[in-house]
């Protein structure tokens, strides 16, 4: 699961310009799209690695890539990016990142990549519901209806009780729930901390936590291909993170948010190319419903933000 919040009008870009020019929004969209392409490639490599390594080890390597990106940001911007008014919330968000990523990697060992990504799109609906219940955000009837329809789309993908989807898909729902709580914390932190600060603490906290458990799950890579996949996954994840951070610096988060759904395209591509897996028509139908309702929620939040 991804570490940047994109589905809320409350997410604050780092740009010093209050209203980015259209050119900046265009560049931001290109960077965001490239970032999610890199993320999807990292997911595909992670799925391949589940044949040889425990998910905890895979997640550790992936978060190590994220930490590498943070180290680069520290070298460029200095230690000021670590200043936070809410260290406890930042660390808690890092722990949720561990839960979310580990559950997702566990799941994709058994579930086709595109199916897992489609189910993970339930997260924005959970964020909307939690934002209303926990943060007191305004959610009108239309958006509640969109949330309900989105859950119907998720049920179409999973088809519970029909024996179509592997039970591990439930871990994707756990991952999505942890991701949603993480994004609610992101909304709480956005008023005081920069996006890069939140990413930095997520990387530091998650790598540290995983390092304590890593000796119990460690398997030494033996083949050059295994080392290459682990390194490639970490590098792609780090570059993807840097691309998304940069896009948020030069463009409006509300403009960038729909790009998140490009993941279903890339995941389908990698699933076909690497694993010879393609979603069936019911998965496509459910995914289309999820994406459509997700885009509607983004549109409504953008409208409300313009009114405010």
């Amino acid at each position: 699961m991804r570490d940047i919040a994109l589905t809320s009008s409350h997410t604050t870009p780092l740009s010093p310009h209050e209203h980015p020019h259209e050119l900046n929004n265009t560049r931001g969209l290109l960077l965001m799209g490239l970032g999610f392409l890199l993320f999807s490639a990292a997911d595909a490599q992670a799925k391949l690695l589940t044949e040889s390594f425990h998910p905890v080890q895979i997640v550790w390597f992936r978060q190590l890539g994220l930490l590498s990106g943070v180290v680069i940001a520290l070298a460029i911007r200095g230690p000021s990016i670590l200043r936070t008014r809410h260290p406890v919330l930042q660390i808690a968000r890092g722990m949720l990142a561990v839960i979310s990523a580990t559950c997702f990697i566990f799941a994709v060992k058994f579930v086709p990549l595109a199916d897992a990504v489609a189910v993970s799109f339930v997260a924005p609906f959970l964020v909307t519901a939690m934002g209303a219940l926990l943060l007191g955000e305004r959610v009108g009837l239309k958006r509640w209806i969109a949330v309900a329809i989105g859950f119907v789309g998720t049920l179409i993908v999973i088809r519970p009780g029909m024996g179509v989807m592997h039970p591990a898909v439930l871990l994707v729902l756990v991952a999505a729930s942890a991701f949603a709580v993480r994004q609610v914390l992101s909304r709480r932190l956005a008023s005081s901390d920069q996006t890069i600060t939140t990413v930095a603490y997520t990387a530091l906290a998650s790598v540290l936590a995983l390092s304590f458990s890593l000796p119990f799950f460690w398997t030494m890579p033996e083949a050059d291909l295994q080392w290459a996949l682990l390194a490639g996954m970490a590098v792609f994840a780090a570059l993807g993170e840097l691309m998304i951070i940069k896009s948020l610096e030069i463009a409006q988060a509300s403009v960038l948010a729909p790009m998140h759904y490009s993941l279903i395209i890339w995941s389908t591509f990698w699933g076909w190319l690497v694993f010879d897996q393609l979603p069936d028509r019911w998965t496509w139908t459910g995914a289309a419903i999820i994406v459509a309702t997700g885009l509607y929620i983004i549109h409504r939040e953008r409208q409300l933000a313009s009114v405010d």
Side-chain angles (χ1 to χ4, degrees):
M1 304 293 286
R2 318 299 173 259
D3 289 310
I4 298 292
L6 298 172
T7 54
S8 169
S9 58
H10 298 273
T11 303
T12 305
L14 299 181
S15 174
H17 307 291
E18 186 176 355
H19 299 289
H21 299 296
E22 183 177 355
L23 176 61
N24 286 345
N25 281 337
T26 301
R27 288 176 57 204
L29 284 168
L30 291 173
L31 287 171
M32 182 70 70
L34 181 57
F36 281 122
L37 170 59
L38 292 169
F39 275 145
S40 68
D43 286 341
Q45 289 171 299
K47 182 175 174 63
L48 279 171
L49 288 164
T50 57
E51 298 176 3
S52 306
F53 302 101
H54 193 279
V56 168
Q57 184 173 348
I58 297 171
V59 174
W60 182 81
F61 269 100
R62 180 165 183 149
Q63 294 302 98
L64 198 63
L66 175 60
L67 182 60
S68 300
V70 170
V71 170
I72 294 173
L74 278 168
I76 295 173
R77 300 189 184 185
S80 62
I81 67 172
L82 296 178
R83 293 174 187 164
T84 176
R85 298 179 185 176
H86 305 284
V88 174
L89 291 182
Q90 291 286 13
I91 293 171
R93 190 181 183 279
M95 297 302 98
L96 287 166
V98 172
I99 296 171
S100 177
T102 304
C103 287
F104 186 81
I105 299 302
F106 259 114
V108 296
K109 180 176 182 177
F110 306 101
V111 178
L113 195 57
D115 292 23
V117 169
V119 174
S120 74
F121 284 162
V122 74
F125 308 127
L126 295 175
V127 171
T128 299
M130 291 179 185
L133 297 175
L134 301 179
L135 300 181
E137 295 176 355
R138 292 176 300 168
V139 179
L141 179 61
K142 291 181 179 179
R143 277 200 287 169
W144 279 120
I145 292 174
V147 168
I149 294 173
F151 279 114
V152 170
T154 305
L155 291 175
I156 291 174
V157 175
I158 299 174
R159 281 159 282 174
M162 297 183 66
V164 176
M165 195 69 67
H166 193 283
V169 75
L170 296 177
L171 289 173
V172 181
L173 293 177
V174 175
S177 299
F179 178 83
V181 177
R182 220 166 78 227
Q183 302 309 72
V184 171
L185 289 180
S186 296
R187 291 185 177 190
R188 175 68 178 84
L189 292 164
S191 61
S192 59
D193 293 352
Q194 293 183 327
T195 302
I196 185 60
T197 301
T198 299
V199 172
Y201 274 92
T202 296
L204 290 166
S206 60
V207 169
L208 183 61
L210 287 164
S211 294
F212 282 112
S213 59
L214 188 62
F216 300 100
F217 303 104
W218 178 265
T219 299
M220 180 61 68
E222 297 178 353
D224 291 342
L225 178 60
Q226 292 176 335
W227 280 112
L229 288 172
L230 287 167
M233 176 187 65
V235 170
F236 285 177
L239 290 176
E241 202 75 48
L242 290 173
M243 293 289 181
I244 288 178
I245 291 171
K246 184 62 179 178
S247 70
L248 287 168
E249 289 178 346
I250 65 175
Q252 295 166 310
S254 59
V255 173
L256 300 174
M259 189 60 70
H260 179 254
Y261 292 104
S262 66
L263 277 171
I264 191 65
I265 299 173
W266 299 125
S267 298
T268 301
F269 171 73
W270 294 120
W272 166 74
L273 182 67
V274 180
F275 305 103
D276 195 26
Q277 296 173 336
L278 282 174
D280 60 23
R281 68 177 185 274
W282 290 108
T283 299
W284 279 118
T285 300
I289 292 172
I290 294 168
V291 171
T293 50
L295 291 174
Y296 175 77
I297 287 176
I298 292 170
H299 172 68
R300 288 293 297 167
E301 291 193 348
R302 192 183 302 174
Q303 282 185 326
L304 292 173
S306 64
V307 171
D308 293 339

